[in-house]
Amino acid sequence: MSLSREAIVEGLRRIVGPDAVVTDEKILVESSVDNFRKLQNIFDVHTAPVPAAVVLPADTAQVAAILTWANENGVNVIPRTGATATEGGLESVVPDSVIVDGSMMNQIVSIDPYNMQATCQCGVPLQALEDRVREHGLTTGHSPQSKPVAHMGGLVATRSIGQFSTLYGGIEDMVVGLEAVFPGGEVARIKNVPRRAAGPDIRHVVIGNEGALCFISEVTVKLFPYFPENNTFLGWTLKDMATGFAVLRDVMVNGYKPSVARVYDPGDAGLHFSHFAAADDCVLLFMAEGAAGIAKATADGIQAIVDKHPECTQVPSEYIETWFNDLCWDASKITAEDERIRQTHNVNRTTEISADWSSINDIYQAAKARIIDEIPDITMMGGHSSHSYINGTNMYFNYFFNVVGVGPEEETDKYYLPIIGIICEETLKRGGSIVHHHGMGKARAPWVKDEYGSSYYILETLKRSFDPNGIMNKGTIIPL
Amino acid sequence: MSARETLRVAAVLDGTAATAERQARALGAFLREGLRLGADVKLVAATHLFHADQSGRESLLELAPTTDVRLIRTPALRADLMTAALTAFEAGGGAELFVFPGGPLGTELAARLAARTGGSVMTDILDAELSGEGLACRRRVYSNHLVGLFELRSLPWCITLDAGWSDARPSAPNEHVVQTVAELHEDDSSASGPLKSVEVLDQPTTGDLEAAKLLVVAGRGAGSRDGVERVAAAAARLGAAFGATRPVVMNAWAPPDRQIGVSGARSAPAVCLTVGVSGAPAFLWGVERAGFIAAVDTDERAAITGEADAVVIDDGVAVIEALADIVASERP
Amino acid sequence: MDHLRIVVGFKVTPDYEALRAPDWARAAGGAAESGGGPGAPETRYVRRVLGVFDEAALELALRLRDARAEAGLETSLAAFSVAAREADPFLQTLQALGFERAARVDPRAALDFAPRVTAAVIATYLRRIGSPDVLLLGSRCGPGESGAVPFLVADELGLPCVTEVTDVQIASRGRLRVTFAAGGGWIRATIAPPCVLAVGNAVVSMLRVPTLKDRLAVRERSLDVLSSGELGVDAAAALAGEPTVLASLETIDRERAGTIVAGRTPEEKARALYETQLRARLERL
Ligand SMILES: Cc1cc2nc3c(=O)[nH]c(=O)nc-3n(C[C@H](O)[C@H](O)[C@H](O)COP(=O)(O)OP(=O)(O)OC[C@H]3O[C@@H](n4cnc5c(N)ncnc54)[C@H](O)[C@@H]3O)c2cc1C
């Protein structure tokens, strides 16, 4: 009883009007994948089922109508906003899916400097919100590398995290309330309060749902005072990651909250810091920010901690500051990277995991060694830790390989998935989490039961209750 | 040190190239406006006009920016023969300053002549001034972030002109005193030239950008290939030439021959409209001689807002399309 | 030619695009303050990058080698840079990519604005290793971007030189088919080695990447490092005699009125722009 493509388009047009339904073949084909299979778009070789339409709702009511209709007709819906997803969350894996693109819902609803919160629709680019709140001397504190291109809806839907997370937290620490639309058309609004203990924290059902439970239509996030003039940068070179992790741990355990706390392994450091770090150097770096007294105390405290590690050699802070000023990826940087891939067939991929302090170095070492040994054509295998907590940290594996002897459409099978497999195995073996901040998407969904263990019961029940007909982003988080 | 009374200048014009007219304009304008000699110094200038055959000679002569013209006949694309002829001229008295138009051939002749005569070479200069025993020249450095002031010491000074000079108004016609100096034939040199089986490719060129009166430029703020295509369509409706920034070209959102800026074309339109262009110096080089620049950009802090005469803060694609509608409706 | 010796010269520069407006202003102002010297931007803290045209030249050399290999022809590849240590990581990468010889000639002097001295060092080095069949260079490189170096080198070596090369293909009898920009258009022609090719806006602009195994395979190989003094060129002394000298740096004043056009919608703003600024100007075109 599934609808034909024509009937799907017709049904959507009735809801949102003809102009808000995109059926251009090229756009549909490009919309069948995200960055997980980005080579398919770069080389224009496509294998995924082509979606039936991209629909651009104008408001929450239209989203509700679309989801009601999709739920009744068993049409698979893929929510989308900034389209920067890296894990296949936007990939269509069943025929005739509909992309519900929230990028037209791009109004900043309110900025409330007294209560230090801002509300915006899902399609607001984070950069746009950040620029607006900066006019009030404030910041969202959220700064993922994709800040210029990712939108608020997607950032909440993926449980994203930014470069200043050690001070401000991940998106889950920033969202105070939100509005979401569920498959039956129910619109649920979670009010904006500082805290409550009125039962479970239902924000977390929505945050990180990756479009597999509901569509996020509006979010309210915290605001913070912005003191860029107090930013203080510190950097060191050192010879091994174990020391780097140990220093990060010391800083966290002693209660310091730098906004940036990172350690790069030699391979990854080579990409950013080769003008001051030797080929076998790791790089440890921090940024302290906030009110003057806090920034200074943080920087002084970190300095004292690292001074206790004579194997760390301090470098001028200008190196770190200059690096920091050029961190984010705008659309042009992304397409320039695509051009590099087109010409060189050299592809950069990343996989981020987390684990406690006891395991992180073992995971890093074991995964790295196996990947170099088992996967062909690797040109760089490295990574960094960029988000630390009292009980552990993350590892952002960063690796490059040449695609040799296979077409661009086979890159994931030959290289990317086997590498992800190794990283997931080594992480799970030591009790870590296989996803730190990019989301499960479809890429890591096959490992969902191992990731969740007995708590998979909760996840599965959520999915079954909120999306009984299974129309929300099939194959995401939970595999087909 | 005896005070200088004259400056002997050789302006070199490659009449074998399709760009002869632009070269002549550049040379003429530079001699008029770009070269400061000081009150007591007299300019003694001659044009060295390389030409390929007899037929086009008369019209080429019209272009010569000086009264004195020395005609040298040469096959096209023979930098080796041209260099030899100029070196011989220098050996027999020559000139103190050799001025070449900008571009690959000018660079080659200036560099090789300087190398062979022990002179100084300086390319793409903005202006020059006699200073003591030397020549002080300004040129862009650091991808157009800064201008450097250079001193040229050894004679002869071999300079090529910044591309901006070729946008200048043509010189008033001269009465020409013509001297035929040499005919350089294939067999004058050791052998025939280094290049064989020469094909002039029928590829699009940036000529329309350089000549444009009205120019529309898309930057990465146009957002996507689709956005850039819409800007190009609006430009066509406005009757404007269409250009793009390097990021747009690097992203394959527009073809390479559309590139404006240091590594692309340079334009001097009466009116230039930029759409989503941030205003990097390497780009601005391409449009900074525009009579009027209007910039449309969503970012009011973008550098371009201080570099434009008028600024619209909004979605560039929407504004340029609306503008094209307005202009279309106003046309008779 | 059964065997072709290709040598590529390249330069590594600070990533000038990472500098910001105040850095440039300081560069120009710094010179005035210190009273002497031309000043220079502070570039210690930014990454090093290959000159964009040099990168294209390196990749074109590799493609030429690959094309010749396919035709059963041998090629030897060498790369060099006139540079301080900062070029070493790039040279190591080139070794891993199959450049049999990777050399650095250390001038122990700042040659950024000294094309004549640079060319003299390069020509002397090339004579030392044996003048190549094909010398590939970038047509120009920051911060001076004179474009003169390839010609100066060619002249010293007595070779023809084509600049603004966008593509190189193999042709019969050891010749090369070269596409280049000249006289406002594009030309394709055949050239017989020995020759100098200076690469401009090439169709291929990005250098391929060696695998970790490629790198491992050449780990024991050292770079040829020699000072220009060892070549018999005293670069510092030559610099004093360089016929062109950078005296000072100025910022460029690009400021225009920047009048903001008001309106609520794109249509209104377009209308306002047209009425207040464009109508009369367009009528005059
Ligand atoms: C260059 C680059 C750098 C990156 N850097 C970071 C980083 O530093 N930190 C980080 O955390 N991530 C990073 N990412 C990943 C990505 O930007 C984030 O996952 C981001 O949160 C996605 O936001 P988006 O608006 O682009 O969402 P999309 O790509 O549109 O969607 C992402 C996922 O969320 C779902 N979704 C989107 N909108 C909604 C909605 N309204 N309701 C429900 N579900 C929705 C989609 O179905 C999909 O599964 C980076 C990606 C790139 C390409």
Side-chain angles (χ1 to χ4, degrees):
Chain A
M1 49 135 250
S2 62
L3 295 183
S4 68
R5 285 172 83 82
E6 295 71 27
I8 290 173
V9 170
E10 196 38 49
L12 291 169
R13 284 190 174 142
R14 269 201 303 274
I15 299 171
V16 294
D19 289 347
V21 182
V22 180
T23 54
D24 177 274
E25 188 65 17
K26 188 156 173 280
I27 292 181
L28 294 183
V29 167
E30 285 179 355
S31 298
S32 66
V33 292
D34 60 22
N35 282 305
F36 179 62
R37 293 185 202 273
K38 65 180 172 185
L39 263 59
Q40 298 203 4
N41 276 344
I42 292 173
F43 291 96
D44 200 14
V45 182
H46 289 90
T47 56
V50 179
V54 174
V55 57
L56 298 142
D59 53 30
T60 302
Q62 287 192 350
V63 174
I66 293 166
L67 291 197
T68 307
W69 166 87
N71 196 36
E72 280 163 7
N73 292 289
V75 175
N76 182 48
V77 161
I78 303 175
R80 178 173 88 180
T81 51
T84 67
T86 54
E87 307 301 322
L90 301 177
E91 204 171 293
S92 63
V93 287
V94 295
D96 302 337
S97 300
V98 169
I99 316 270
V100 181
D101 184 308
S103 58
M104 292 296 158
M105 296 168 62
N106 57 5
Q107 298 305 306
I108 296 176
V109 178
S110 72
I111 293 173
D112 180 351
Y114 190 75
N115 293 306
M116 298 294 273
Q117 56 194 27
T119 301
C120 60
Q121 290 184 308
C122 59
V124 172
L126 172 56
Q127 186 76 62
L129 178 63
E130 182 69 23
D131 289 348
R132 281 285 304 281
V133 305
R134 289 271 180 93
E135 290 166 13
H136 300 267
L138 302 174
T139 176
T140 60
H142 200 43
S143 183
Q145 267 191 305
S146 51
K147 176 164 65 180
V149 277
H151 297 177
M152 292 307 288
L155 288 161
V156 173
T158 53
R159 279 182 84 85
S160 63
I161 200 163
Q163 289 141 358
F164 313 136
S165 69
T166 318
L167 177 59
Y168 299 102
I171 193 82
E172 70 277 16
D173 302 304
M174 301 166 171
V175 173
V176 292
L178 50 77
E179 179 192 80
V181 185
F182 286 79
E186 291 82 0
V187 177
R189 177 176 283 278
I190 302 177
K191 64 185 173 187
N192 307 328
V193 290
R195 184 176 191 272
R196 56 179 171 169
D201 192 339
I202 51 180
R203 287 176 301 183
H204 296 295
V205 173
V206 176
I207 300 173
N209 89 81
E210 297 186 43
L213 297 179
C214 60
F215 186 98
I216 301 164
S217 47
E218 194 184 287
V219 299
T220 300
V221 290
K222 294 175 188 169
L223 298 175
F224 303 88
Y226 184 56
F227 303 105
E229 64 281 9
N230 299 334
N231 290 354
T232 308
F233 300 89
L234 297 164
W236 288 266
T237 57
L238 60 162
K239 290 295 176 199
D240 67 84
M241 286 296 278
T243 309
F245 288 124
V247 176
L248 287 180
R249 181 184 174 279
D250 268 3
V251 168
M252 298 309 295
V253 168
N254 282 289
Y256 291 103
K257 294 240 176 289
S259 54
V260 180
R262 293 187 173 202
V263 60
Y264 280 75
D265 85 341
D268 207 358
L271 300 178
H272 305 272
F273 308 118
S274 58
H275 52 302
F276 67 85
D280 59 349
D281 274 348
C282 302
V283 172
L284 174 69
L285 60 91
F286 298 91
M287 172 166 117
E289 65 169 274
I294 296 175
K296 181 169 187 325
T298 306
D300 290 349
I302 292 170
Q303 180 77 48
I305 288 171
V306 187
D307 282 346
K308 281 188 237 138
H309 292 269
E311 54 289 31
C312 299
T313 310
Q314 193 148 14
V315 298
S317 61
E318 287 89 342
Y319 283 123
I320 312 302
E321 183 168 4
T322 310
W323 160 82
F324 170 80
N325 286 333
D326 189 32
L327 264 186
C328 282
W329 281 65
D330 60 11
S332 157
K333 223 168 166 181
I334 292 170
T335 23
E337 176 65 19
D338 291 354
E339 180 58 26
R340 190 165 280 279
I341 293 172
R342 207 173 288 128
Q343 286 196 21
T344 63
H345 294 227
N346 185 250
V347 184
N348 178 204
R349 297 299 202 168
T350 64
T351 303
E352 18 61 65
I353 58 96
S354 72
D356 62 22
W357 293 115
S358 322
S359 323
I360 195 74
N361 189 44
D362 293 344
I363 295 172
Y364 159 70
Q365 302 290 355
K368 179 177 161 186
R370 274 190 61 193
I371 290 164
I372 291 175
D373 188 47
E374 294 173 28
I375 309 292
D377 310 314
I378 297 284
T379 63
M380 197 289 271
M381 174 67 222
H384 59 263
S385 159
S386 41
H387 307 275
S388 283
Y389 311 87
I390 194 91
N391 60 333
T393 189
N394 82 316
M395 188 67 212
Y396 187 91
F397 289 98
N398 190 15
Y399 42 93
F400 291 68
F401 46 82
N402 288 331
V403 177
V404 182
V406 295
E409 71 284 8
E410 293 162 299
E411 172 252 352
T412 36
D413 283 346
K414 178 169 177 186
Y415 301 99
Y416 194 12
L417 280 167
I419 296 174
I420 293 174
I422 293 173
I423 294 172
C424 288
E425 259 176 62
E426 296 302 323
T427 303
L428 289 167
K429 216 191 275 179
R430 295 172 178 82
S433 167
I434 60 168
V435 187
H436 177 263
H437 64 262
H438 281 166
M440 291 282 270
K442 285 149 192 121
R444 279 176 268 181
W447 286 274
V448 66
K449 288 191 176 154
D450 300 318
E451 167 72 17
Y452 275 74
S454 58
S455 72
Y456 181 70
Y457 164 74
I458 304 177
L459 180 74
E460 200 188 19
T461 308
L462 281 175
K463 176 75 180 170
R464 229 185 306 113
S465 349
F466 288 119
D467 182 21
N469 298 344
I471 61 145
M472 295 302 287
N473 210 349
K474 272 198 177 62
T476 293
I477 305 180
I478 296 174
L480 283 184
Chain B
M1 186 187 91
S2 63
R4 179 192 291 285
E5 286 168 8
T6 59
L7 179 72
R8 283 172 297 124
V9 179
V12 181
L13 181 55
D14 173 21
T16 70
T19 52
E21 194 190 331
R22 292 171 65 78
Q23 295 178 42
R25 262 191 274 160
L27 293 169
F30 174 75
L31 294 177
R32 278 197 318 272
E33 301 157 22
L35 179 62
R36 290 188 298 278
L37 299 180
D40 305 326
V41 183
K42 189 163 162 282
L43 181 73
V44 181
T47 304
H48 292 237
L49 175 56
F50 289 96
H51 66 108
D53 48 32
Q54 297 298 352
S55 59
R57 226 179 70 160
E58 293 309 313
S59 52
L60 276 174
L61 262 176
E62 294 291 300
L63 297 174
T66 61
T67 308
D68 279 341
V69 182
R70 300 164 61 89
L71 281 176
I72 310 159
R73 189 165 168 208
T74 172
L77 289 172
R78 289 302 300 272
D80 54 337
L81 299 183
M82 296 182 189
T83 309
L86 293 170
T87 311
F89 166 71
E90 175 58 15
E96 290 143 302
L97 173 63
F98 285 82
V99 186
F100 300 89
L105 182 73
T107 306
E108 171 153 22
L109 297 180
R112 289 193 189 260
L113 182 61
R116 290 180 197 186
T117 58
S120 327
V121 53
M122 181 76 19
T123 54
D124 305 322
I125 71 150
L126 297 165
D127 51 33
E129 180 172 13
L130 280 177
S131 101
E133 293 292 278
L135 185 73
C137 294
R138 297 189 324 132
R139 70 184 297 275
R140 294 157 202 279
V141 291
Y142 292 103
S143 358
N144 202 27
H145 282 283
L146 297 173
V147 163
L149 179 68
F150 291 84
E151 214 168 284
L152 276 56
R153 292 178 174 164
S154 335
L155 288 166
W157 305 314
C158 305
I159 63 173
T160 76
L161 301 182
D162 180 87
W165 285 106
S166 52
D167 308 325
R169 276 173 295 111
S171 315
N174 280 307
E175 290 292 313
H176 292 114
V177 178
V178 181
Q179 195 190 346
T180 299
V181 182
E183 299 222 352
L184 312 173
H185 294 294
E186 295 274 335
D187 46 28
D188 274 8
S189 75
S190 51
S192 57
L195 297 173
K196 305 278 185 287
S197 322
V198 174
E199 292 166 67
V200 176
L201 298 184
D202 187 22
Q203 275 179 13
T205 70
T206 53
D208 64 319
L209 296 175
E210 274 135 21
K213 294 262 174 290
L214 175 61
L215 174 71
V216 172
V217 190
R220 63 182 169 195
S224 62
R225 182 181 299 143
D226 177 56
V228 171
E229 281 166 6
R230 283 166 58 192
V231 176
R237 287 204 291 140
L238 286 164
F242 169 71
T245 61
R246 184 170 170 87
V248 164
V249 169
M250 290 311 286
N251 293 351
W253 292 348
D257 64 16
R258 297 295 87 200
Q259 188 171 321
I260 300 247
V262 171
S263 46
R266 184 159 213 233
S267 186
V271 176
C272 171
L273 306 169
T274 73
V275 180
V277 170
S278 64
F283 162 74
L284 276 176
W285 180 86
V287 296
E288 65 197 10
R289 289 168 67 95
F292 177 85
I293 300 178
V296 195
D297 205 283
T298 47
D299 181 3
E300 57 205 274
R301 280 163 300 252
I304 192 82
T305 58
E307 294 152 349
D309 299 283
V311 177
V312 178
I313 302 300
D314 210 318
D315 173 42
V317 181
V319 172
I320 199 79
E321 287 184 334
L323 191 65
D325 290 342
I326 293 167
V327 171
S329 69
E330 299 273 319
R331 281 218 180 95
Chain C
M1 282 194 197
D2 288 347
H3 187 93
L4 192 73
R5 281 185 59 229
I6 302 178
V7 176
V8 192
F10 69 94
K11 185 172 174 185
V12 169
T13 70
D15 182 2
Y16 292 116
E17 294 314 310
L19 299 181
R20 312 176 137 215
D23 298 321
W24 295 113
R26 232 175 286 131
E33 269 166 38
S34 66
E42 174 59 81
T43 55
R44 235 180 320 164
Y45 304 118
V46 300
R47 273 179 346 130
R48 294 298 181 265
V49 292
L50 281 174
V52 283
F53 300 125
D54 299 343
E55 177 169 358
L58 289 162
E59 178 60 26
L60 278 176
L62 288 164
R63 293 201 182 198
L64 213 49
R65 175 201 63 185
D66 294 347
R68 285 176 54 84
E70 214 151 278
L73 299 167
E74 273 180 49
T75 311
S76 71
L77 288 181
F80 72 91
S81 186
V82 178
R85 253 208 208 103
E86 59 195 17
D88 288 357
F90 296 88
L91 285 162
Q92 280 153 356
T93 300
L94 294 172
Q95 283 185 318
L97 286 174
F99 283 79
E100 291 136 43
R101 179 181 222 152
R104 176 160 66 77
V105 183
D106 193 336
R108 312 237 167 102
L111 301 186
D112 273 344
F113 294 99
R116 288 291 283 283
V117 182
T118 307
V121 174
I122 293 176
T124 312
Y125 168 71
L126 291 174
R127 276 195 220 101
R128 164 76 65 94
I129 63 164
S131 192
D133 299 318
V134 178
L135 173 63
L136 277 161
L137 299 169
S139 58
R140 65 203 109 89
C141 189
E145 296 165 339
S146 79
V149 172
F151 293 114
L152 293 170
V153 174
D155 217 71
E156 283 225 23
L157 298 176
L159 297 178
C161 175
V162 181
T163 195
E164 300 300 334
V165 169
T166 58
D167 199 11
V168 188
Q169 307 278 343
I170 58 171
S172 59
R173 286 180 292 143
R175 298 183 175 188
L176 300 171
R177 195 88 184 127
V178 184
T179 311
F180 57 99
W186 273 270
I187 290 176
R188 190 182 300 135
T190 305
I191 191 166
C195 59
V196 178
L197 303 178
V199 177
N201 264 324
V203 279
V204 210
S205 54
M206 290 158 178
L207 181 63
R208 65 188 66 180
V209 186
T211 63
L212 290 177
K213 294 199 169 75
D214 295 334
R215 286 184 184 279
L216 214 56
V218 298
R219 201 179 40 178
E220 301 301 323
R221 290 239 306 269
S222 57
L223 303 174
D224 294 357
V225 179
L226 59 167
S227 70
S228 58
E230 288 167 74
L231 287 172
V233 183
D234 181 345
L239 205 52
E242 169 79 41
T244 58
V245 178
L246 176 62
S248 64
L249 291 170
E250 304 162 8
T251 49
I252 301 173
D253 181 16
R254 303 198 167 84
E255 200 146 351
R256 296 186 183 223
T259 312
I260 302 272
V261 177
R264 276 172 306 161
T265 61
E267 291 73 24
E268 274 184 27
K269 291 175 192 170
R271 172 62 70 182
L273 177 68
Y274 179 72
E275 301 293 350
T276 61
Q277 306 278 3
L278 292 182
R279 183 202 291 274
R281 289 192 168 88
L282 294 181
E283 276 164 8
R284 256 182 271 136
L285 289 186

